Amino acid sequence: GQQVMQIPQYQHVQEGEDFTTYCNSSTTLSNIQWYKQRPGGHPVFLIQLVKSGEVKKQKRLTFQFGEAKKNSSLHITATQTTDVGTYFCPLGGSNYKLTFGKGTLLTVNP
Amino acid sequence: NAGVTQTPKFRILKIGQSMTLQCAQDMNHNYMYWYRQDPGMGLKLIYYSVGAGITDKGEVPNGYNVSRSTTEDFPLRLELAAPSQTSVYFCASSPDFLLAKNIQYFGAGTRLSVL
């Protein structure tokens, strides 16, 4: 069945360093979404990518959707302590359910 | 709009007790979901609903029940609480997935301990 692998599972950085997390799918995706969950908080929708090769930016965050629509990345430039949390790229598709993996836990040392 | 509201925020149950976790949304979303999240893990789908009167099982439905009598409300019932049900429970809703590609909006969660 469809699977999305997210790497790394954990990442610890010094404040100011860059950070990237990757999602890789075994099959072509119709779209991909990214969510962020702060420690003790709830998942919050960040962005959705739909088009092949799409790149979207939100301030220091850059989201990419691969040309083959099988992978995606989230890059954070110059991390801040407010970036701490778990980033998820749940598996969606043609139905109305999302399957969340463990995500990537980012910790930032001030 | 308040979005998705979950009550209570915290609860401690004794083994064998029952309780209902409440979830309400004011965004007129058809799709609603219940997830549980254990420490360091992702979210696992318990039950979901595509509209009033329609519910279906997710990945981990055992020990839970749901109902959807209105568009706004989607309560989750635990009949005989067990320690394995200690978790954080999140309710989410989504507008018509054909338009918004199933973007989900989450409540703040209910932290449940069964002792």
Side-chain angles (χ1 to χ4, degrees), chain A residues 6 10-11 14 16-18 22 26 28 32 40 44 46 48-49 52 55-56 60 67 85-86 89 95 103 108-110:
Chain A
Q6 193 170 351
Y10 307 97
Q11 184 77 60
Q14 289 291 128
E17 291 181 340
D18 291 357
Y22 301 89
S26 56
T28 301
I32 194 158
V44 175
L46 293 177
Q48 178 178 260
L49 304 173
S52 168
V55 178
K56 287 188 176 180
R60 295 176 295 102
E67 292 290 341
T86 301
C89 57
N95 60 32
V108 179
N109 196 30

Side-chain angles (χ1 to χ4, degrees), chain A residues 37 41, chain B residues 6 8-13 19 21 34-46 60 64 76 78 81-91 108-115:
Chain A
Q37 183 178 24
Chain B
Q6 290 185 241
K9 287 185 169 51
F10 304 93
R11 185 71 186 269
I12 298 175
L13 283 182
M19 79 163 294
L21 282 66
W34 274 106
Y35 296 90
R36 60 175 287 171
Q37 185 177 36
D38 298 326
M41 303 295 287
L43 290 85
K44 294 189 177 179
L45 183 65
I46 306 172
V60 290
Y64 307 94
L76 178 71
L78 282 71
S84 60
Q85 293 178 307
T86 293
S87 191
V88 180
Y89 292 84
F90 290 103
C91 178
T110 294
R111 282 151 182 79
L112 176 67
S113 293
V114 182
L115 305 174

Side-chain angles (χ1 to χ4, degrees), chain A residues 9-10 30-31 33 35 37 40-45 48 50 88 92-103, chain B residues 31 33 35 37 40-45 48 50 57-59 90 97 100-109 111:
Chain A
Q9 194 169 345
Y10 307 97
S30 60
N31 66 87
Q33 299 175 14
Y35 291 76
Q37 183 178 24
H42 60 280
V44 175
F45 171 76
Q48 178 178 260
V50 178
F88 295 99
S94 59
N95 60 32
Y96 33 75
K97 293 185 285 184
L98 295 176
T99 302
F100 286 80
K102 294 182 181 180
Chain B
Y31 301 89
Y33 312 83
Y35 296 90
Q37 185 177 36
M41 303 295 287
L43 290 85
K44 294 189 177 179
L45 183 65
Y48 65 98
V50 301
K57 296 178 180 178
E59 183 185 357
F90 290 103
F97 85 103
K101 305 281 186 187
N102 60 351
I103 295 169
Q104 294 189 9
Y105 300 85
F106 286 79
R111 282 151 182 79

Side-chain angles (χ1 to χ4, degrees), chain B residues 5-80:
Chain B
T5 303
Q6 290 185 241
T7 56
K9 287 185 169 51
F10 304 93
R11 185 71 186 269
I12 298 175
L13 283 182
K14 293 183 179 179
I15 294 172
Q17 285 186 322
S18 300
M19 79 163 294
T20 299
L21 282 66
Q22 301 292 345
C23 176
Q25 53 93 7
D26 61 0
M27 297 176 282
N28 200 33
H29 287 172
N30 284 325
Y31 301 89
M32 295 188 74
Y33 312 83
W34 274 106
Y35 296 90
R36 60 175 287 171
Q37 185 177 36
D38 298 326
M41 303 295 287
L43 290 85
K44 294 189 177 179
L45 183 65
I46 306 172
Y47 270 96
Y48 65 98
S49 170
V50 301
I54 306 170
T55 63
D56 208 346
K57 296 178 180 178
E59 183 185 357
V60 290
N62 290 346
Y64 307 94
N65 276 301
V66 293
S67 60
R68 184 94 182 271
S69 56
T70 66
T71 299
E72 293 77 20
D73 300 299
F74 190 39
L76 178 71
R77 179 85 178 157
L78 282 71
E79 289 295 347
L80 292 171

